[in-house]
Amino acid sequence: GQQVMQIPQYQHVQEGEDFTTYCNSSTTLSNIQWYKQRPGGHPVFLIQLVKSGEVKKQKRLTFQFGEAKKNSSLHITATQTTDVGTYFCLYNFNKFYFGSGTKLNVKP
Amino acid sequence: EAQVTQNPRYLITVTGKKLTVTCSQNMNHEYMSWYRQDPGLGLRQIYYSMNVEVTDKGDVPEGYKVSRKEKRNFPLILESPSPNQTSLYFCASTPGGSYNEQFFGPGTRLTVL
């Protein structure tokens, strides 16, 4: 079964506030990917993290992979209404598993 | 255009009536998967295929069958659908391995009455 917890389940923010979602594993991960699913849409790949301590940025999005490769986070600075959706981490333990997702709602 | 297509997009059926959801990708990807998405449970892998004629169970395979006779197609078969298979289904493909991004189809919303 799944050994990765994703938190929080929901986050409601005012436009301009920051947002962070976390995926925490009890065991070391080989890599982790992040996906975004807009309401009514399908998951779309955002980024992949492979190296210990890796940090990657995409405009207002910052992705981190912990030193022990057990934790990862996605941080959005100054959210916009276009950030609305559910964010998932995806990891691999022989098979692919998605985190339970964090649903982000942004109030204009 | 590189894409994954699924048909049908929406389907309402009755218990026990066999159905097939088709999935096709034009990217020559080796690895294909089926997922179901349910509120509160997220996305769970049903079956996957690492190449033609190679399929294996994912996390929730009960009640489903798949086949991979050609590289581009990976149909999902429900031999005797039941109401607990009402869900949103996604097909995905990737070049192979866990270090490549997955490309998802638009989804099929299935309701079993």
Side-chain angles (χ1 to χ4, degrees):
Chain A
Q2 295 184 22
Q3 302 175 51
V4 173
M5 293 290 295
Q6 185 171 359
I7 54 171
Q9 189 174 4
Y10 300 98
Q11 187 89 57
H12 300 272
V13 300
Q14 199 71 38
E15 190 171 23
E17 292 181 337
D18 292 357
F19 160 78
T20 306
T21 175
Y22 303 88
C23 278
N24 301 315
S25 173
S26 55
T27 58
T28 302
L29 302 171
S30 57
N31 64 316
I32 195 164
Q33 297 178 353
W34 285 93
Y35 289 76
K36 176 184 178 181
Q37 184 178 20
R38 294 181 188 274
H42 58 275
V44 174
F45 175 81
L46 293 176
I47 205 92
Q48 174 169 260
L49 304 169
V50 180
K51 299 177 184 175
S52 168
E54 190 168 16
V55 178
K56 288 188 176 181
K57 292 192 176 185
Q58 289 179 351
K59 296 181 181 178
R60 294 179 295 105
L61 277 61
T62 302
F63 303 84
Q64 295 191 12
F65 204 11
E67 292 290 340
K69 297 180 71 172
K70 288 184 177 181
N71 305 302
S72 183
S73 64
L74 184 172
H75 179 82
I76 303 178
T77 304
T79 54
Q80 299 175 358
T81 54
T82 53
D83 295 325
V84 165
T86 303
Y87 294 84
F88 296 95
C89 60
L90 174 68
Y91 53 97
N92 180 270
F93 287 130
N94 296 318
K95 300 173 187 176
F96 286 110
Y97 295 96
F98 276 92
S100 52
T102 297
K103 189 171 183 178
L104 172 63
N105 188 37
V106 180
K107 291 184 187 176
Chain B
E1 180 191 354
Q3 60 182 350
V4 178
T5 56
Q6 293 178 229
N7 282 292
R9 295 289 314 279
Y10 303 91
L11 180 60
I12 301 174
T13 189
V14 295
T15 299
K17 187 176 181 182
K18 181 180 178 180
L19 66 92
T20 300
V21 184
T22 64
C23 172
S24 184
Q25 52 95 3
N26 62 1
M27 295 168 280
N28 202 36
H29 287 168
E30 292 187 347
Y31 191 107
M32 297 183 75
S33 293
W34 276 103
Y35 295 90
R36 60 177 290 173
Q37 185 172 30
D38 303 288
L41 296 175
L43 287 138
R44 295 176 292 168
Q45 193 179 46
I46 302 170
Y47 266 96
Y48 64 95
S49 169
M50 297 180 74
N51 214 326
V52 175
E53 303 292 0
V54 180
T55 63
D56 207 348
K57 296 177 181 178
D59 216 24
V60 287
E62 295 77 21
Y64 304 94
K65 283 175 57 176
V66 292
S67 69
R68 187 92 182 274
K69 293 184 171 56
E70 310 163 275
K71 201 170 188 179
R72 64 184 295 126
N73 297 322
F74 190 44
L76 179 70
I77 303 153
L78 285 73
E79 294 269 3
S80 183
S82 62
N84 65 12
Q85 292 178 299
T86 292
S87 187
L88 178 58
Y89 292 86
F90 288 102
C91 179
S93 75
T94 181
S98 61
Y99 291 89
N100 296 287
E101 73 173 274
Q102 298 206 22
F103 295 82
F104 284 81
T108 295
R109 186 164 293 281
L110 172 66
T111 302
V112 183
L113 302 174

